[in-house]
Amino acid sequence: MTRRSGPRRLVAAAVTAVAVVSAGTLQLGGSAAWAATPASPESPGELLVPEVEEGSEKVRDPDFGEEVLVPDAGEDCDVSHAVSGESAFEVTAISRDRVPRHARPGLAKSARDDRVSIPRPDEANTRQRYFGVDYTLPTGVELTCVRVDLLDTSPKARGAVLQTVTKAAPTADGGEGVRSVGRGKLKVRVTFDEQHPSKVRGKPSEVARIGYRVSLYGRGQDGAVVTTSRVSANLFPLWRLPAGIDRFGQRAQDDGGDDWCSSFTHGWLSVAAGKALLPEINDVSGEHARNLGHQTHLTGDDLDAFHLYRFAGVKAGVAGSGGLNHERLVAATKAAMNGGADGLRQVRDWAETTRTRLGRLIDNKNVVRIHYAAGSPVKGDSRFTAGWAAALLREGVYPFTNAKKERAELDLGIGAWSRIGNTIIREKDFRTDHDDHLHVSLSGTKRR
């Protein structure tokens, strides 16, 4: 789409209608679990709005027939005294970059380049992302400015501008976010740096899709200004966990952090926190879905959380607390095997509390998979074979061979778990690599 601007008024390039497709675990037609609940203080209910800069004006959007705010191009992109006319000026392609792959070969293929992290207001991304832009420039026209607008392309948002991310003249070094990388080719920043922090405000749960409109401005030899634009393919936003969510074992923020969640998960957590469905949270996703060393955790819908039962003296916020809690379970189980009444009481409390809280998660229609501790063999004590913790939790009884090579069993006296046949945490979902934490996977489409 190409136009020339009239005198002293730049008409913005139209917002191209973008087809919204179903992808990943966020599918059209799914009911939001929080739809009927009031907004939390951490997720204000106002609509996301762009930062309105001085000199902005309203123009009628030709695609949607509505008035939209269009920021002025700014001092570095002066388009005043433009004259009307036509030009073969076009953005021909927009290509997204690749998120850095994990160093381990087995995880290198696990990446999602269609996720982009949007920081909280007044914060910046740790890792910047850049899109490639191909364009045609007519003879006699100089490219003077590039503007990138972050759009809300969710079905009801109709391409609303969330914020202008980049607005600068192209340079050889790309210092202001726009770099010329060859004839008809640009590399443009689409994320937020320290000089241009996020100003996006509102409810992240309402923004399920995003896109980027890249607008180019050129000036002819006669001084007339031409403009053209194109909207990228849809992407999925990732947001910081809702404020007030307790954490344990989180990674350093200078590596981009590990607390990025999908729009759906952000809304679900705002409700789940009030219902105490989950304890403290560890990993969610890396910035821009960078692989954190998991086969999963790439869409912002997988949560690693603390144990559902905490033994006395264990503080979840302390490094290694997940492993320490499991060690306390081992110690209590040993004591119970040796006939200790207090050890038996502790293991029984662990099993009953964990069963109850797992049941609440199973009953939540947006929880689609749970993984938890199987119980690894214990060094120096042959009574513990792989799966001992799962047996106690599921069956209430663990048979073992004692030091005298005699068959024995630890019976908690609580019987088999009433939910043992559920499909959300099956027998194979109890795993030794989850002895120190709980894993919960969510989906925006409710289970039937």
Side-chain angles (χ1 to χ4, degrees):
M1 175 178 58
T2 304
R3 297 194 296 278
R4 285 180 181 258
S5 304
R8 294 184 301 278
R9 181 179 178 89
L10 173 66
V11 179
V15 180
T16 303
V18 181
V20 179
V21 296
S22 172
T25 58
L26 293 169
Q27 301 175 27
L28 294 181
S31 301
W34 64 90
T37 62
S40 69
E42 296 81 20
S43 299
E46 69 267 18
L47 294 176
L48 291 153
V49 295
E51 288 290 300
V52 181
E53 304 174 28
E54 185 177 355
S56 297
E57 60 176 334
K58 283 187 175 182
V59 299
R60 183 160 299 279
D61 186 291
D63 287 323
F64 301 131
E66 300 171 352
E67 285 194 331
V68 294
L69 282 168
V70 179
D72 180 81
E75 184 178 349
D76 292 336
C77 305
D78 184 14
V79 291
S80 59
H81 306 296
V83 296
S84 60
E86 296 296 332
S87 174
F89 186 26
E90 182 182 7
V91 177
T92 57
I94 299 175
S95 58
R96 62 174 181 248
D97 58 356
R98 298 181 72 207
V99 175
R101 269 37 181 179
H102 199 278
R104 287 166 52 189
L107 298 173
K109 294 181 180 180
S110 298
R112 296 296 291 265
D113 298 322
D114 59 352
R115 264 63 181 176
V116 179
S117 292
I118 301 178
R120 294 188 179 108
D122 301 318
E123 294 183 0
N125 289 102
T126 300
R127 297 168 179 264
Q128 301 302 319
R129 294 197 64 179
Y130 296 84
F131 282 8
V133 177
D134 294 350
Y135 66 97
T136 58
L137 188 66
T139 302
V141 174
E142 176 190 5
L143 181 64
T144 58
C145 179
V146 178
R147 190 179 78 230
V148 179
D149 294 319
L150 173 62
L151 309 179
D152 180 357
T153 56
S154 305
K156 294 182 180 180
R158 301 171 65 86
V161 179
L162 300 177
Q163 185 177 340
T164 298
V165 180
T166 297
K167 184 178 63 178
T171 59
D173 62 1
E176 289 300 312
V178 181
R179 180 183 178 188
S180 179
V181 292
R183 183 176 178 82
K185 293 182 178 296
L186 299 169
K187 180 180 178 181
V188 298
R189 176 178 52 78
V190 298
T191 46
F192 301 98
D193 61 15
E194 295 292 343
Q195 290 71 42
H196 310 89
S198 171
K199 298 296 181 183
V200 177
R201 301 178 185 274
K203 291 187 70 173
S205 59
E206 294 182 348
V207 185
R209 303 288 191 279
I210 56 172
Y212 292 89
R213 183 177 62 219
V214 178
S215 301
L216 306 184
Y217 302 94
R219 188 179 299 277
Q221 293 177 341
D222 59 357
V225 172
V226 291
T227 180
T228 184
S229 70
R230 188 184 183 106
V231 177
S232 73
N234 275 337
L235 298 104
F236 298 84
L238 294 179
W239 312 85
R240 293 284 192 188
L241 287 175
I245 296 291
D246 291 331
R247 303 291 311 282
F248 88 98
Q250 61 265 34
R251 301 163 192 252
Q253 293 300 318
D254 58 5
D255 199 29
D258 58 5
D259 59 342
W260 298 96
C261 61
S262 71
S263 300
F264 172 79
T265 296
H266 194 285
W268 186 90
L269 282 170
S270 297
V271 174
K275 295 181 177 179
L277 287 179
L278 284 180
E280 297 84 353
I281 293 175
N282 181 223
D283 287 355
V284 187
S285 287
E287 188 178 25
H288 312 309
R290 182 178 63 87
N291 196 308
L292 298 172
H294 303 276
Q295 292 291 352
T296 56
H297 290 265
L298 297 176
T299 66
D301 300 301
D302 294 277
L303 305 165
D304 282 348
F306 199 71
H307 301 268
L308 296 172
Y309 177 88
R310 185 183 308 172
F311 284 87
V314 177
K315 295 182 179 180
V318 177
S321 55
L324 176 60
N325 202 72
H326 184 71
E327 290 173 7
R328 295 290 173 86
L329 173 62
V330 172
T333 305
K334 282 184 179 181
M337 287 175 170
N338 295 333
D342 187 58
L344 179 61
R345 177 192 60 78
Q346 290 185 57
V347 178
R348 183 189 298 119
D349 287 350
W350 164 79
E352 290 184 322
T353 300
T354 302
R355 284 179 176 186
T356 298
R357 296 192 67 181
L358 282 176
R360 294 173 189 166
L361 288 168
I362 291 168
D363 290 338
N364 187 283
K365 300 301 184 182
N366 295 112
V367 175
V368 295
R369 182 68 62 229
I370 301 172
H371 299 295
Y372 189 46
S376 300
V378 176
K379 186 177 181 180
D381 194 331
S382 61
R383 295 177 296 179
F384 291 85
T385 57
W388 62 267
L392 288 170
L393 185 59
R394 288 167 51 82
E395 306 287 351
V397 177
Y398 171 60
F400 61 93
T401 302
N402 63 24
K404 296 180 180 181
K405 305 299 182 182
E406 299 170 333
R407 295 290 294 173
E409 67 178 22
L410 175 59
D411 188 344
L412 302 181
I414 59 176
W417 186 25
S418 63
R419 312 298 297 272
I420 198 169
N422 81 88
T423 60
I424 304 304
I425 179 167
R426 305 154 297 179
E427 184 174 7
K428 67 180 181 180
D429 295 322
F430 289 87
R431 297 165 35 171
T432 56
D433 60 354
H434 284 66
D435 284 349
D436 60 352
H437 71 282
L438 177 78
H439 176 106
V440 176
S441 297
L442 304 173
S443 172
T445 300
K446 289 188 173 184
R447 303 195 313 266
R448 294 187 181 274

